[in-house]
Amino acid sequence: METAEQLRSADQGQDLFKIHGTHHVELYVGNAKQAAYYYRRALGFRITGYLGPETGVKDRASYLVEQGKIRFVLTTALHPDSPIAAHVHEHGDGVRDIALQVENAEEAYRITTERGARGVMEPVETSDHFGTIKTATIATYGDTVHSFVERGSYSGFFLPNFEPREDNLSTPCGLKHVDHIVGNVDWNKMEETVNFYANVFGFTKFVSFDDKDISTEYSALRSTVVANENKWVKFPINEPAEGLKRSQIEEYVNFYKGAGVQHIAMESENILETIAKMRANGVEFINVPHSYYDELAKRMSEISESIEELKALNILVDFDDKGYMLQIFTKPIEDRPTLFFEIIQRRGGESFGKGNFKALFEAIERDQAARGNL
Ligand code: FE2
């Protein structure tokens, strides 16, 4: 049984400035037009906005795709000397910015930088005829950043310079919101990264796993979760641990060329329907052996889904003292074995799937072995 154990006593649960939640996640990609097509046709997102030369921004093209409350911005460079192109060259497609909506961007920037965060962009105002948005940006692990977005009385649909787009191409897959965003960091960097979130944001460390929890025969890792006061923002941080062979976190760091976002977990309103649709759309998921469901059958009285359906779609179940959660991981969504998505549905359970780590990570290892990286 896993409980939401509080590991830290000082400053517990006290955001140092007001955070409303995740505003959007921006990915830097090699070809945003084609990436947007994948997010629409495979994952059920709608394009709702666009920014580029046609809207007065000359160096990039960005597509805003949305599903439920999830907002991703897919951005690509239009010139080789762009920092966006450099990011893609180094990391492949990946998450650049986990943007947080705050009450006051200037205050968020001042507090975080005074407490040791590296500033990337000082507070700046951008305006269009819908009003003014204030943003500022700080660095976190690797080349990943957090922008602070203060919307104030801005009445536009997203951010200045984005023009709205209509999209009738995609059918939604039932995704509602981001549940958590996981960062992978290098050997012995987890503590430092977790302390960064505790010291700079006032986040609480609330669950911790060590290599005894998350070790299969081979790919061990350690993980600690940090979360803000209302737990709308949850960031598990992983680091590699010694195993018999190479840790999956080490494989990520080797291919991403440093720390970065490993996966984004998105909650579905009905995971059975979501996964059936995504599989029909061609999304690839990791394969868990059918023997997993023999164990699960012993607890079937505790869940409302049919084991046969879960088995057919390869969805896993984890229990805690509050209920249970259903989950599945996609395969990496680009050719480097880096970023993937997790689809989850919570039925009371607050866990991150600790009870499934062995089954999930053995499945990941089989793919890792097939790539020759184990
Ligand atoms: Fe997760």
Side-chain angles (χ1 to χ4, degrees), residues 180 182 236 262-265 325 327 329 340 342 344 352-353 357:
H180 59 274
V182 180
Q262 178 206 39
H263 74 264
I264 301 175
M325 60 90 94
Q327 69 178 159
F329 289 176
F340 61 88
E342 175 181 357
I344 79 163
F352 293 86
F357 284 160

Side-chain angles (χ1 to χ4, degrees), residues 284 286 330-340 367 371:
E284 295 178 305
I286 61 165
T330 69
K331 293 199 176 195
I333 53 156
E334 58 284 291
D335 292 296
R336 294 195 204 189
T338 54
L339 178 69
F340 61 88
D367 291 346
R371 293 187 285 263

Side-chain angles (χ1 to χ4, degrees), residues 138-203:
I138 61 161
T140 179
Y141 49 78
D143 284 332
T144 317
V145 301
H146 290 299
S147 286
F148 301 123
V149 181
E150 175 189 333
R151 297 191 67 87
S153 58
Y154 182 74
S155 63
F157 77 107
F158 185 54
L159 293 173
N161 294 317
F162 274 83
E163 65 175 32
R165 282 277 176 100
E166 289 284 327
D167 187 354
N168 301 316
L169 187 65
S170 70
T171 36
C173 289
L175 299 178
K176 291 192 301 186
H177 55 80
V178 170
D179 184 88
H180 59 274
I181 300 178
V182 180
N184 279 348
V185 298
D186 214 338
W187 288 94
N188 307 313
K189 292 286 182 192
M190 181 186 75
E191 201 60 39
E192 184 183 312
T193 310
V194 161
N195 287 337
F196 168 84
Y197 282 104
N199 297 333
V200 166
F201 288 82
F203 284 6

